[in-house]
Amino acid sequence: MAQLRIALAQANPTVGDLSGNTDKLLEWARQAADRGAHLVVFPEMFLTGYPVEDLVLRASFVNASIAALETAARRLADEGLGELPVVVGYVDRAGLQPRVGVPKGAPLNAAALLHRGRIVARTAKHHLPNYGVFDEYRYFVRGDRLPIFRLHGVDVAIAICEDLWQDGGPVAVVSQVGAGLLVVPNASPYERDKVDVRGDLCARRAREAGCALAYVNQVGGQDELVFDGDSLVVDARGELVARAGQFVEELLVVDLDLPAAPAGVRPGAATVDAGDGTAITVERVELSAEPVAPYPPEPPRIAPRLDDLGEVYAALVLGVRDYVTKNGFRSVILGLSGGIDSALVATIASDALGPDRVHVVLMPSRYSSEHSLADARELVRRQGVHARTIPITEIVNAVEKEIELHGLAAENVQARVRGAVLLMGLSNEHGHLVLTTGNKSELAVGYSTIYGDAAGGFAPIKDVFKTMVWDLSRWRNAQVGRESPFLYGFAEPPIPENSIVKEPSAELRPDQRDTDSLPPYHVLDRVLIDYVENDMGRDDLVAAGHDPELVTQVIRMVDAAEYKRRQYPPGPKITPKNFGRDRRLPITNRWRETAP
Amino acid sequence: MAQLRIALAQANPTVGDLSGNTDKLLEWARQAADRGAHLVVFPEMFLTGYPVEDLVLRASFVNASIAALETAARRLADEGLGELPVVVGYVDRAGLQPRVGVPKGAPLNAAALLHRGRIVARTAKHHLPNYGVFDEYRYFVRGDRLPIFRLHGVDVAIAICEDLWQDGGPVAVVSQVGAGLLVVPNASPYERDKVDVRGDLCARRAREAGCALAYVNQVGGQDELVFDGDSLVVDARGELVARAGQFVEELLVVDLDLPAAPAGVRPGAATVDAGDGTAITVERVELSAEPVAPYPPEPPRIAPRLDDLGEVYAALVLGVRDYVTKNGFRSVILGLSGGIDSALVATIASDALGPDRVHVVLMPSRYSSEHSLADARELVRRQGVHARTIPITEIVNAVEKEIELHGLAAENVQARVRGAVLLMGLSNEHGHLVLTTGNKSELAVGYSTIYGDAAGGFAPIKDVFKTMVWDLSRWRNAQVGRESPFLYGFAEPPIPENSIVKEPSAELRPDQRDTDSLPPYHVLDRVLIDYVENDMGRDDLVAAGHDPELVTQVIRMVDAAEYKRRQYPPGPKITPKNFGRDRRLPITNRWRETAP
């Protein structure tokens, strides 16, 4: 056996910020060296950030990624870090002839091994995911190389993210040719899930490969995605050795006792059947043959796991924080109605940015109730956010003098004056990002005003059903006094109890209640989850015990609301389906689950 | 040799409208039978429409497609059309075990041969396109069967769309096993292009396959895509035999003299190397062995081709007409400023729907010029559209009483009162679809107001650069007196000359000109075409002769405008890039072509 101290750099890159990501690589490599690591592994496509989407189809971007990798190798050596091997993801290109159906420029989702100022090995993802949020057949061509480098007498193989999830390919090849450690850079977004799919997968693949496995994941919000970190190491039997925190940057340093590589194997290349209809070329290089001198290992860290609501809340806070800061905003603005949705969004914003960077606007109309204004003011008092009040009555009157509108058309004017005119005006004037406050239940059934409450730059709770809005609000209030990177230190529960317990109303006409138009949310959400998340058809929904008339009503509303949802801003994704990329129904869609 | 009369059903389906599309199949099959056709071929996925996007991931939708195919076969027989073989596209599913990375339910982009009430043969697309507007690795699994049916002594093979564009696969197999005719259902969208890529491809593949080739394309607008028809038949030497019109529904009937099939080949299946690393199973069935009795062929039709601007104009008119009607709207509404963009959009709408279904609103502010109102009124007079005038000054004053805004923030209020409040209010009240009037040049550089002029349901000229807006306007005015399905019979040029020749201005502040903020459009558009359409990087742009400072300015504007563009409504696509699906840059994008 041979000892090895490895460092997993669970870091937060920004898509496209090649120089910023390179700086971070240097800084974290230095920390790893300072902690005595023999190897540091960064996430998938760390130098470019992930997902880069159509940027990767620009030749100049791929060139810039390759140049950034060369710069990183050189800077590591120049700054005295050349002896520390670094595995890092970036974008490369395959030398393919252009042809129809192959992504322009044949980009590769690549990873490289840097050592002593040189790029010692390069590989690329073999299995390209093309489902859910992934579109990798659009962007990449398949890699067909598996580098195995000998480090202090241990053979270390490199695979990338999806290569773990599919049968055959790199893991199958490692199981054939043998290695002491498999390191896997990932960019694997958070999805709400009560079981530990990721940990189980790593355990299974470690047993299959017959070696320890180090899973290094990106952390941070990037557009709609939130990467949760949760990097981990399992041994060859699949037992958990170490695990990093969720939703936080962390350099996880782990001491491993690994099988020494057999002396007989020589550097060079050999092609192996990958067990999936393809062949993979194993490329061996040697960095150092001698094991390190024995040293006392550090006790392994296994970070405690967040509970279900804690995970969701952390994802929302990190999603907002990173969207705001990575887009160069300093502050946010939102309309505060006194209802629970805007109360929760204000609280998430305060937790993400601090209340001093949160601006709320109270915009009472002739239909606003006394308790609404009082509840909004009470939240302002508890959180200390910036607040102003702008009555909309005179503006709405001026509109009504020019055109005669009735019913919903008239109600929408109030929402549009608030969202498109006032909040966007203040955003343009002062540079705040507008946060919208719509939840997933109302978005799903179209209970929102396009260009009204739907106007804004980011939608923190667009993937949160209404019943969970209440759950999260109660959960957040119960956290007062606890320390966390996702909780601001409020002295009292930040959300007024009355906002949580009162009956929901849009207050766009006298005595309006959400239940005038919708089933009660605890009933609605159960149908939505089965229809939207679980893709159940009408017959399946009825067979699952939902009331047939309710099912018809809900399906009609959801299908009809498709166009509105397409106009909604992005927001953090916490379930497989959030109506964004994952539910790209055609807009002209005559097919209805409810048709006979 | 053996004669065969084939009918190419260049028809316009609606995505999801399974029963409507089935009705259309029956109606067109009857017309083909009435004209004596021995075979009728419908486009790719005709029963479901194309593209179906994430609908196909719903099991209930795939079930409904398969049921629709069975219904179609039965109805054809019930209505006395059972003897006419029908080739039609639909969605089927492969019997695969669910696993990671395979689309849920393993849907197939399928085609079937219907005869005498039965489904005689089924096949599925072998090559799945996953670039540009296509995402087929997300939606489908690969087909691996090639049906060849003997019809009146001629062997007819079926391939689907992309199978023509890629090397290897079905065409390669046909060249090995032989056939007398290859029929190819397609859903191939229009893209502006001066050379005849499609005709050249068909000629090349016919020569490769060694047989005549019938290319049947969908026609019509579907969300952002406009399918142009242009179905065609080439003989085994690749010579054009017949060609349908562009952008119109048409049953193209063609008499062919084809090689009689060799007598020795028997029905059954055989697996063949497809020349692309896969194997394809050739499945032979016999419908009728005897050639038809000799008959006098009809003279072939070769439809005249539209010129470049005529193609674009037809695509825009059809895109608007189908978006409006397929979404169930009766009428449209738009703001008419007196400028050229809204003048052209009003004209396209009149040509698409007739002026009686077009409503325009003149919304003067304190900065509107006299000539603007006069030019707008002149267009109303020439076209006879419905018009009303709503001054916005009092509403803007009411807003300014409540909040103090300056510069761009103040200018945007006018655009938002017009777009989000007034046009959307009238849309909600009366059921008109709001058309936006932004062109591609201003969209590209962000010279538009989000929730202002960008508010609406469909954007007819979002893919038309400003210089082409002028070209199309002059072209349209010159068509007065010509008959076409895309031109309303105006008695005089529908666009006032002054709207074409005057200097562009947004009129949001006194004496504003577009050139205060932007380079002249003839300069700007040349850079945009190279940067956006041709994906050239900064260095390439400068090397191509563009002024370096101008390049930096334009690139900065384009990259910064990404978020705004994402909030724009859909519009007809006429070039490879229209900022919609094809330019999915991440929103948080720190990478800039202009960075050092």
Side-chain angles (χ1 to χ4, degrees), chain A residues 53-54 58 60 100 104 132 138 166 223 406 412 416 428-429 451 456 531 536 563 582 584 588 593, chain B residues 53-54 58 60 132 138 166 223 406 412 416 428-429 451 456 531 535-536 563 582 584 588 593:
Chain A
E53 305 207 353
D54 278 17
R58 296 191 78 88
S60 48
V100 180
K104 187 173 164 185
R138 179 179 179 86
Q166 305 287 340
D223 305 329
H406 307 85
N412 285 337
R416 288 173 181 146
N428 293 158
E429 180 78 15
Y451 311 126
Y531 183 53
M536 286 167 68
Y563 178 75
D582 280 337
R584 301 190 286 193
T588 305
E593 283 284 350
Chain B
E53 305 208 353
D54 278 19
R58 295 191 78 87
S60 49
R138 180 179 179 85
Q166 304 287 341
D223 304 328
H406 307 85
N412 285 337
R416 287 172 181 146
N428 292 158
E429 180 78 17
Y451 312 125
Y531 183 53
D535 270 335
M536 286 167 68
Y563 178 75
D582 279 337
R584 300 191 286 192
T588 304
E593 283 284 353

Side-chain angles (χ1 to χ4, degrees), chain A residues 436 448-456 564 567-569, chain B residues 451 567:
Chain A
T436 65
S448 74
T449 299
I450 190 170
Y451 311 126
D453 53 303
K564 262 191 204 176
Q567 304 266 332
Y568 229 70
Chain B
Y451 312 125
Q567 303 267 332

